[in-house]
């Protein structure tokens, strides 16, 4: 996690999707017929050995003759369908596959291109997606595809209505921003950018965000949100943070790193702990199944992760040895990164006064109000 006082611009990156020229989409009417046949497969009550050719005088018996009607959730046909459909989503739990992920997969399979978002597709494409998703809900015996994330939805509402923040989108990057009405860009009051880590979304960081809004009423606050969809790069915030620090250090006036995952990534601890380590306790299970195997996260980390772009080096941090400009917070019992080795890396480069190390601290614990470092972070942010 990184809290940075800065004026950010989005780094210009090559988009491989713009250079590739895949085959165009097929005929929509034909694809619609195919999807109907696919969804009908397995609906008919036929013996596994097949039908009796002598007694059944039908040229094409079986599922294509069935109607796609809503099934009960525990219907064996629905259970079988859900279980095998998960294969397209890296066998993620069915409860984690919602409408956005389903839209992205269907858009790719129908139109052979990346899903730009339901509000950005044509009326014809949107109609096709809604129709197929409705049929999938019937076939799977589940309405979970339409279920939003209630807690995050409530938090977004509270940020907008109680704190006058706005939720906006720039290209594929969603973010929360609060700009005080009387703020002047020419003033010495600099914007604060809060880069949160992977986890359970706004729910996990809401108390700290609310605290920032309260104690920094005159500062604009920007919170990039990583998307958790199949098509997006959910760690774009991390690449964004590192590239902005590397390419435009003059734009950053102060930086606070809380349990940062950007240091010592070449040593393999982060990769092993986050993806491959056998689960030994409840926290490990949460990290693995609710974060590490989330569709977009798994797709990015295991297929498209660029460790050089996601690594931050000491010499790339502006005024790293100045405790007034840079603060590092580490916990000795961090289950994600090897905090002891990160500490050694930082101290070997002369960082002393700006380093806080809690031997009993866990990952992200410093942002909790119960942590002794929580109030220190807030006080440090309030300093000019």
């Amino acid at each position: 996690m990184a809290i940075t006082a800065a004026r950010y611009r989005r780094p210009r990156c090559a988009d491989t999707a713009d250079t590739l020229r895949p085959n165009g989409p097929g005929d929509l009417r034909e694809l619609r017929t195919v999807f109907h046949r696919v969804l009908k497969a397995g609906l008919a009550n036929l013996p596994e050995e097949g039908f009796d050719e002598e007694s059944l005088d039908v040229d094409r018996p079986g599922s294509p003759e069935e109607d796609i009607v809503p099934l009960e959730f525990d219907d064996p046909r629905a259970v079988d369908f859900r279980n095998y459909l998960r294969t397209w989503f890296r066998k993620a739990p069915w409860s984690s596959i919602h409408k956005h992920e389903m839209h992205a997969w269907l858009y790719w399979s129908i139109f052979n291109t990346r899903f730009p978002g339901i509000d950005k597709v044509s009326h014809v494409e949107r109609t096709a997606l809604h129709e197929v998703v409705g049929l999938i809900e019937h076939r799977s015996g589940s309405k979970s595809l339409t279920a939003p994330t209630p807690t995050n939805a409530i938090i977004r509402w509270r940020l907008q209505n109680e704190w006058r923040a706005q939720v906006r989108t720039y290209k594929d990057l969603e973010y929360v921003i609060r700009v005080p009405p009387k703020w002047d860009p020419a003033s010495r009051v600099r914007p604060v950018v809060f880069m949160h880590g992977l986890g359970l979304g706004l729910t996990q960081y809401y108390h700290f965000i609310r605290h920032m809004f309260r104690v920094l009423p005159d500062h604009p606050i920007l919170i990039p949100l990583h998307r958790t969809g199949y098509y997006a790069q959910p760690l774009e915030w991390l690449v964004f943070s590192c590239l902005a620090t590397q390419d435009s250090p003059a734009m950053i006036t102060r930086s606070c790193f809380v349990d940062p995952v950007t240091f010592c990534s070449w040593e393999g601890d982060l990769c092993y702990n986050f993806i491959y380590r056998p689960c030994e306790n409840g926290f490990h299970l949460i990290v693995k199944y609710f974060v590490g195997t989330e569709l977009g996260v798994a797709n990015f980390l295991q297929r498209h992760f660029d460790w050089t772009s996601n690594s931050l080096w000491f010499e790339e941090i502006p005024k790293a040895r100045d405790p007034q400009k840079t603060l590092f917070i580490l916990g000795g019992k961090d289950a994600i990164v090897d905090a002891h080795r990160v500490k050694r890396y930082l101290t070997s480069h002369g960082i002393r006064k700006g380093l806080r190390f809690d031997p009993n601290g866990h990952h992200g614990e410093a942002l909790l109000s119960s942590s002794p470092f929580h109030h220190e972070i807030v006080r440090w942010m309030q300093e000019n």
Side-chain angles (χ1 to χ4, degrees), residues 77-182:
R77 297 170 296 175
V79 174
D80 180 76
F81 178 81
R82 293 196 305 270
N83 186 49
Y84 280 90
L85 188 61
R86 293 188 305 113
T87 306
W88 288 105
F89 301 90
R90 301 182 63 85
K91 294 189 178 296
W94 180 257
S95 59
S96 69
I97 305 172
H98 298 300
K99 184 174 288 187
H100 176 79
E101 290 80 19
M102 190 63 67
H103 279 162
W105 171 67
L106 288 171
Y107 196 82
W108 161 76
S109 61
I110 296 174
F111 303 106
N112 199 27
T113 188
R114 192 179 72 166
F115 180 54
I118 194 63
D119 296 331
K120 298 180 181 179
V121 302
S122 69
H123 174 72
V124 173
E125 293 172 339
R126 190 181 304 115
T127 301
L129 292 176
H130 288 329
E131 178 188 4
V132 177
V133 167
L135 293 173
I136 289 176
E137 290 180 333
H138 287 352
R139 185 67 175 82
S140 63
S142 171
K143 287 289 185 180
S144 63
L145 297 178
T146 61
T149 306
T151 307
N152 280 326
I154 294 173
I155 289 177
R156 287 169 184 257
W157 183 89
R158 296 187 66 178
L159 290 175
Q160 292 173 317
N161 290 273
E162 294 182 13
W163 300 101
R164 299 297 186 266
Q166 297 180 343
V167 180
R168 298 178 180 175
T169 301
Y170 177 74
K171 294 185 178 180
D172 288 338
L173 181 63
E174 190 176 21
Y175 61 93
V176 174
I177 186 169
R178 195 279 312 264
V179 180
K182 297 182 179 180

Side-chain angles (χ1 to χ4, degrees), residues 204-250:
Q204 185 172 345
Y205 302 99
Y206 175 67
H207 290 291
F208 186 81
I209 292 172
R210 185 179 61 180
H211 201 168
M212 283 197 303
F213 285 163
R214 182 184 301 118
V215 301
L216 300 173
D218 300 325
H219 291 258
I221 297 179
L222 172 67
I223 309 166
L225 305 175
H226 60 269
R227 289 196 173 190
T228 56
Y230 177 77
Y231 77 99
Q233 293 185 353
L235 293 189
E236 185 174 1
W237 63 272
L238 184 55
V239 180
F240 180 41
S241 174
C242 290
L243 289 179
T245 305
Q246 295 165 353
D247 295 344
S248 305

